[in-house]
């Protein structure tokens, strides 16, 4: 099964994509994570990506379509994948349709995370991840069972994203409303758009997703 999780930054897409990967083997394809890995590599593309991401802007569509086309051609994606953070524009959605048709892949469902935008700044500014395995946590909403120790890998190093600073978050939300929300009618017209309550707790959102996927 191949699906898209669609919602503004901080709506919980990454958390749910990680759960789907752990429980159902669906590979999480997070373009944000891919770009952060490119930034960490220090390449020319990484330097460009860092400036774009820290400003809350989007990377060019052709670059992102190229990155995803290469990734979904990898053998692990044959088990099914969850797109998290892609597509972010109608041009990317059209590019995805073309590349999936070329590979005879089907897009089964697009799940919209419905959220109250005013809650997102608090959600985003409190979040952090394990530096070892990437598991996601939050200062208030999702602490590790043992303070300072990752539930998944036992790691003790954690990190925060530089674009999760309050001053960048509003730019990212504006960008979502301008460029990404217009994708919703695109998928509604195809009859594959579903929605979950992104304000519910993590387990409840997951239950709603599982119900949709069957
Ligand atoms: P995310 O981790 O999904 O919140 O992405 C972090 C940042 O990476 C975004 O704010 C964008 O600057 C960039 N980015 C991630 N995915 C895309 C995409 N599909 N198109 C353009 N820019 C992207």
């Amino acid at each position: 099964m191949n699906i898209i999780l669609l919602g503004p930054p901080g709506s919980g897409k990454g958390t749910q994509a990680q759960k789907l990967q752990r429980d159902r083997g669906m590979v999480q394809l997070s373009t944000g994570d891919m770009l952060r890995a490119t930034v960490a590599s220090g390449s020319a593309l990484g330097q460009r990506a860092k400036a774009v991401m820290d400003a809350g802007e989007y990377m060019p569509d052709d670059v992102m379509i190229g990155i995803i086309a290469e990734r979904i051609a990898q053998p692990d994606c044959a088990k099914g994948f969850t797109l998290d953070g892609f597509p972010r524009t109608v041009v990317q959605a059209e590019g995805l349709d073309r590349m999936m048709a070329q590979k005879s892949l089907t897009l089964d469902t697009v799940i919209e995370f419905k959220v109250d935008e005013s809650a997102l700044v608090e959600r985003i500014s409190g979040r952090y991840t394990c530096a070892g395995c990437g598991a996601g946590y939050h200062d208030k909403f999702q602490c590790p069972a043992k303070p300072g120790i990752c539930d998944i890998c036992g790691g003790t190093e954690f990190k925060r994203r530089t674009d999760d600073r309050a001053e960048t978050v509003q730019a990212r939300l504006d960008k979502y409303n301008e460029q990404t929300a217009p994708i919703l009618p695109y998928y509604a017209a195809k009859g594959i758009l579903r929605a979950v309550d992104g304000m519910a707790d993590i387990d409840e959102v997951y239950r709603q997703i599982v119900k949709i996927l069957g």
Side-chain angles (χ1 to χ4, degrees):
M1 185 170 271
N2 303 314
I3 68 167
I4 296 174
L5 303 185
L6 200 57
S11 57
K13 305 182 298 290
T15 302
Q16 299 297 330
Q18 285 183 352
K19 283 173 85 68
L20 287 168
Q21 178 161 281
R22 280 202 289 272
D23 294 357
R24 299 169 75 119
M26 292 165 65
V27 180
Q28 178 190 10
L29 301 182
S30 158
T31 42
D33 285 350
M34 292 173 201
L35 290 173
R36 283 183 283 279
T38 309
V39 170
S41 78
S43 67
L45 180 64
Q47 285 170 20
R48 186 169 159 208
K50 180 167 172 38
V52 168
M53 292 164 85
D54 284 349
E57 296 289 330
Y58 282 177
M59 288 294 281
D61 290 328
D62 56 340
V63 173
M64 299 314 300
I65 291 169
I67 288 175
I68 283 293
E70 212 171 275
R71 185 63 188 88
I72 63 176
Q74 303 294 312
D76 60 337
C77 287
K79 290 184 282 188
F81 55 79
T82 303
L83 285 163
D84 157 18
F86 182 95
R88 254 179 161 93
T89 63
V90 172
V91 171
Q92 292 181 18
E94 290 165 350
L96 178 66
D97 276 349
R98 276 194 302 277
M99 77 177 87
M100 289 188 78
Q102 271 165 16
K103 295 182 192 337
S104 302
L105 293 169
T106 310
L107 180 60
D108 297 284
T109 307
V110 178
I111 301 180
E112 178 193 0
F113 285 54
K114 288 197 177 285
V115 285
D116 166 6
E117 224 179 89
S118 63
L120 294 180
V121 176
E122 186 187 22
R123 273 197 182 187
I124 294 175
S125 53
R127 67 186 184 179
Y128 62 98
T129 54
C130 170
C133 72
Y137 296 99
H138 192 280
D139 292 327
K140 201 160 152 189
F141 307 122
Q142 200 194 357
C143 303
K146 288 190 199 130
I149 300 174
C150 175
D151 295 341
I152 307 295
C153 74
T156 53
E157 297 271 325
F158 296 88
K159 56 185 184 183
R160 288 177 194 265
R161 287 168 47 169
T162 55
D163 62 344
D164 278 350
R165 282 189 291 252
E167 57 270 30
T168 311
V169 171
Q170 193 54 52
R172 291 166 61 201
L173 291 174
D174 293 346
K175 199 78 187 161
Y176 175 84
N177 289 324
E178 268 163 39
Q179 304 255 312
T180 307
I183 304 178
L184 295 166
Y186 178 85
Y187 289 121
K190 291 178 183 286
I192 56 171
L193 183 65
R194 304 286 178 270
V196 293
D197 174 10
M199 300 310 294
D201 68 43
I202 292 170
D203 291 339
E204 170 56 21
V205 177
Y206 191 63
R207 268 193 293 279
Q208 292 182 17
I209 292 174
V210 167
K211 200 165 156 205
I212 289 168
L213 301 183

